[in-house]
Amino acid sequence: RPAPSDLRLSLAVGDLAPLASVLGARALGVDSGRVDVALTGDADSPRVRVTARMRGLAENAWRVDALDADLAASLAGVRAITGARGTLKVSDADVRGVHADRLDAALAYGDTAARLAASTTLDDGTEARLVVTAIPDSIRHALRLDSLDVNRGPHHWALAHPVRVAYGERYTVDDFVLASGAGPRIAIDGTVSRTGAERLSLLLDSISLAPFARALGYHALAGATLYAKATLGGTATAPRLHADATVTLAGAGAGSGTMHGVVDWTASRLDLTAALTPRDGHALTASGYLPVRLVLAASAAGPVSVAAHGAVDLHVAATDFNLQIVEPFLNQETIDRARGSLTTEARITGAAD
């Protein structure tokens, strides 16, 4: 019988600067931390437990006041994991202006199933819970989203049914529908691939933009709603994307109105029409095309690139356009007021160098 093991390591953490370069982070810091590792069992069936306690963990774009993690795993030899359980607790986290009072996650992994459950509460009272499961043999290319619930104010959002998500060479979402009763909903269905045919549809119906208002710094979005539809077809080398979106800016003042845009995007160019229309007054419009290419097949230029020597034709027009509608989107430290009206007729043509 193999001899039993009992190895324990403790690491006090006070400086994460060396780790920042390894992870590619510009800055990574911690006020204090401790990591404990225990290896028990024998050579045939070792057991590993790792616990971590971090305080004041921060990177450029986020900060976590407290993080506590506990992971225990059983192995067959030193290569295969036969079972694992873990918990993660985070409190007072800030990510780009969004503050979470808490984040809890629990992981369970076995021979027949893997399960992740996570929940969070934001400082504005929003609560969310997610449950994901997968079969260990297929976890590298597919999982199932079992439930997703979001409570925000009077609205309760819930996943209509479990959703299969596949990834790897092709990314597939099978009929994802997240809805708030018979009202707002988000629907995604189809496949995106770096090779072969494309088939994807997206619907955003009556979506409040309030959660993004603080993160983006645009308070005008606090009462705004979004309706958008998009379809992707064609092939990876010659995709066709059509999108139509309207944002309604609510309010009693001149800052209310609508933003509407339509985009048709292919491997050769981007066609667009857009209008910003105050509630009372005339619109500021833009229409034309730009030499911006969309190609999903693997290429050195990436999925989005500018076509060399591609044609540009963009027309911008306005008659007595009330400038006050743009005021909420201005950087208040630079420009705090926008008054008056704009009348213009401009056309940009030529070719991209």
Side-chain angles (χ1 to χ4, degrees), residues 3-4 19 27 33 55 112 138 164 174-175 197 202 204 206 209 237 256 273 277 302 315:
L19 186 60
R55 297 294 181 266
T112 59
S138 63
R164 178 180 176 272
D174 289 337
D175 193 24
L202 168 69
L204 304 173
S206 305
L209 297 183
T237 55
S256 62
T273 60
T277 308
H315 178 239

Side-chain angles (χ1 to χ4, degrees), residues 20-350:
S21 59
V22 175
L23 298 177
R26 287 180 295 173
L28 187 63
V30 65
D31 292 341
S32 64
R34 180 184 177 89
V35 178
D36 294 295
V37 181
L39 175 63
T40 58
D42 55 41
D44 293 333
S45 56
R47 297 185 299 274
V48 179
R49 183 177 182 183
V50 180
T51 60
R53 181 181 183 274
M54 300 290 174
R55 297 294 181 266
L57 186 63
E59 199 258 349
N60 286 335
W62 53 264
R63 177 178 173 84
V64 171
D65 183 65
L67 181 150
D68 293 278
D70 189 341
L71 175 65
S74 300
L75 297 85
V78 294
R79 295 180 178 269
I81 298 177
T82 58
R85 289 187 175 275
T87 59
L88 173 69
K89 295 183 179 296
V90 173
S91 61
D92 292 329
D94 282 287
V95 181
R96 297 189 182 276
V98 177
H99 181 85
D101 291 335
R102 66 167 190 87
L103 170 65
D104 298 316
L107 169 70
Y109 181 93
D111 292 335
T112 59
R115 182 178 188 270
L116 172 67
S119 63
T120 187
T121 300
L122 304 184
D123 63 346
D124 64 358
T126 300
E127 297 179 341
R129 177 175 172 79
L130 168 73
V131 177
V132 177
T133 59
I135 298 173
D137 290 343
S138 63
I139 198 169
R140 292 184 178 181
H141 55 80
L143 56 81
R144 187 181 68 207
L145 183 57
D146 283 339
S147 65
L148 174 59
D149 296 273
V150 181
N151 293 309
R152 178 179 173 81
H155 300 291
H156 171 70
W157 292 74
L159 199 65
H161 49 72
V163 177
R164 178 180 176 272
V165 179
Y167 38 87
E169 293 186 0
R170 302 180 67 83
Y171 297 86
T172 301
V173 178
D174 289 337
D175 193 24
F176 173 97
V177 178
L178 181 68
S180 178
R185 67 175 180 142
I186 301 170
I188 307 171
D189 182 60
T191 298
V192 177
S193 173
R194 303 300 295 270
T195 61
E198 311 293 341
R199 182 194 63 81
L200 184 72
S201 63
L202 168 69
L203 172 66
L204 304 173
D205 186 356
S206 305
I207 305 301
S208 169
L209 297 183
F212 306 99
R214 182 173 53 176
L216 297 176
Y218 295 140
H219 66 271
L221 298 179
T225 57
L226 168 66
Y227 179 88
K229 294 178 68 174
T231 57
L232 176 66
T235 64
T237 55
R240 299 186 306 273
L241 174 65
H242 174 79
D244 188 324
T246 299
V247 174
T248 302
L249 303 171
S256 62
T258 61
M259 294 187 294
H260 177 244
V262 178
V263 168
D264 285 287
W265 202 355
T266 67
S268 58
R269 72 184 196 186
L270 171 66
D271 290 76
L272 63 91
T273 60
L276 176 58
T277 308
R279 185 188 62 178
D280 299 318
H282 303 286
L284 170 66
T285 63
S287 61
Y289 52 85
L290 300 171
V292 182
R293 306 173 66 242
L294 176 65
V295 178
L296 299 178
S299 68
V304 178
S305 62
V306 177
H309 310 296
V312 177
D313 192 340
L314 189 63
H315 178 239
V316 179
T319 301
D320 292 329
F321 172 71
N322 189 342
L323 291 173
Q324 193 172 352
I325 193 173
V326 305
E327 186 174 295
F329 297 96
L330 300 176
N331 184 334
Q332 299 297 310
E333 296 180 357
T334 306
I335 303 174
D336 61 355
R337 297 182 65 189
R339 295 292 186 272
S341 62
L342 172 68
T343 297
T344 186
E345 184 85 20
R347 188 176 183 185
I348 304 171
T349 60

